[in-house]
Each structure stands twice: as C-alpha cells, then as structure tokens.
Amino acid sequence: MDIKVKQMGRKEPEAAKVVIESLDLPLTVDQYLQMSHEQQEKLFPSVELLPGAERLVKHLHKNGVPIATATGSHTQSFELKTSGHKDLFSLFHHCVLSGDDPECKHGKPAPDCFLLAAQRFPDNPDPSKVLVFEDAPNGVEAAHAAGMQCVWIPHKGINKETHRHLATLVLESLEDFRPEMFGLPPYD
C-alpha cells in the first residue's frame, strides 16, 4: 500500500518511477508504462464509482453547484476509467487531466491541477471557496497547497493520521458526506 500511496495523483512517468525504484525493477519507465497500459486496457473499463459519488454529483449538478474533475490521470486512462459512466461525467463543467494537460506543469502533490480546475470556471473562484474531494494523500497535500478545503475519503488501508491535519474533513465513505456542512444545499 505504501507504494500506491506514493504514486497516487502523480503524473504517469513520476508514478512509474516510484514503482520501479521502490521495487528495484529492471525496467525503464517506458517499459513499465507499456505493461501498465496493457493491464489498464483490461481492468479500467470495469472501474466502479465510489459509493456515494453518483448521488453527490447529481445533487450538486441539480442544484447548480459548478463541479469539475482534477485528476492525475492522462486522457487514455481517464477515458478507460470513465467509459462506463459517461452520463455522470457529462455533468461536470470540465476535467483537468494533469497527466497530459500542457497547462498543468506538475502533478500532485503540487497544487497545479486544482488551481487550473478553478481557473477554468467562468467565475474563476477564489481557492478558499473551492471544495475538493480526494482519495489520495498526494491529493490532500495538493488541495491544502492550493488553499482549498478538502474532504478526504482515504482508501482502505491508508493511515488517516498522516494527512488528517491537512484535510478539512476525513470520512470513511462519500456516503457520509453532508453538503450542508459546507454551505451547500442539503440532500432531498
């Protein structure tokens, strides 16, 4: 789990380097990525949403709350991961795919993708008015560095105490989120 935590949210070559170095693999980054992409082609199309994600996205959209995705993924893996959820992802104003977005210079834990996501809204909200939902420690660091509030829903097995001080709220599940705690319309 430690390796996964270190690579989550990073740009793809950086994440590959973490794995290669951590496991002392006799591979180049390109070799590792080729093998990784082959596995992604098989596995990513069946990725399921986190429990509570669909309800939250539909609720925010229905209530006119602007939403975006800011991910460390590149276009190819994002398309594979979201292929079974096109209707839901169509509700987002935009997506920042820091893995290959030329305007996003650094992956998480740098704040670039979150700041860019905010800037792409027509009203370019102040970062302090942005609420980030994150599952990765690198993303929590990025949201904090961007000056944004962050709800952290860590993967099972991740030590919550390492980044609790950087998150506004830590939840076991997105199903536990209550929008009114952040001044948003409550669920019906």
Side-chain angles (χ1 to χ4, degrees), residues 8-133:
M8 291 173 77
R10 293 186 185 273
K11 287 184 176 246
E12 193 176 52
E14 296 169 18
K17 192 173 178 184
V18 167
V19 174
I20 292 166
E21 291 176 358
S22 296
L23 298 176
D24 197 25
L25 298 176
L27 300 170
T28 66
V29 168
D30 287 339
Q31 290 170 326
Y32 177 85
L33 289 176
Q34 181 180 350
M35 292 185 337
S36 177
H37 290 163
E38 290 169 5
Q39 291 302 307
Q40 289 172 6
E41 291 280 340
K42 295 175 191 171
L43 300 173
F44 279 8
S46 61
V47 167
E48 294 188 20
L49 297 170
L50 289 176
E54 183 172 9
R55 178 183 186 208
L56 177 61
V57 169
K58 287 181 175 180
H59 173 75
L60 295 175
H61 183 264
K62 179 179 117 179
N63 285 281
V65 177
I67 52 177
T69 298
T71 176
S73 296
H74 59 85
T75 303
Q76 179 186 2
S77 66
F78 182 78
E79 291 296 327
L80 288 170
K81 286 180 199 174
T82 61
S83 61
H85 312 288
K86 293 287 186 197
D87 289 346
L88 189 66
F89 279 88
S90 72
L91 302 178
F92 288 79
H93 184 271
H94 59 272
C95 296
V96 174
L97 310 177
S98 68
D100 56 14
D101 188 316
E103 291 184 63
C104 191
K105 300 300 180 206
H106 305 285
K108 300 171 188 176
D112 302 27
C113 69
F114 290 133
L115 294 171
L116 188 57
Q119 291 166 8
R120 288 184 178 169
F121 283 114
D123 65 342
N124 188 9
D126 183 87
S128 66
K129 303 294 183 197
V130 175
L131 180 59
V132 171
F133 293 88

Side-chain angles (χ1 to χ4, degrees), residues 139-157:
V140 174
E141 288 180 38
H144 181 77
M148 299 175 176
Q149 298 179 76
C150 180
V151 176
W152 186 27
I153 307 94
H155 283 273
K156 302 282 186 244

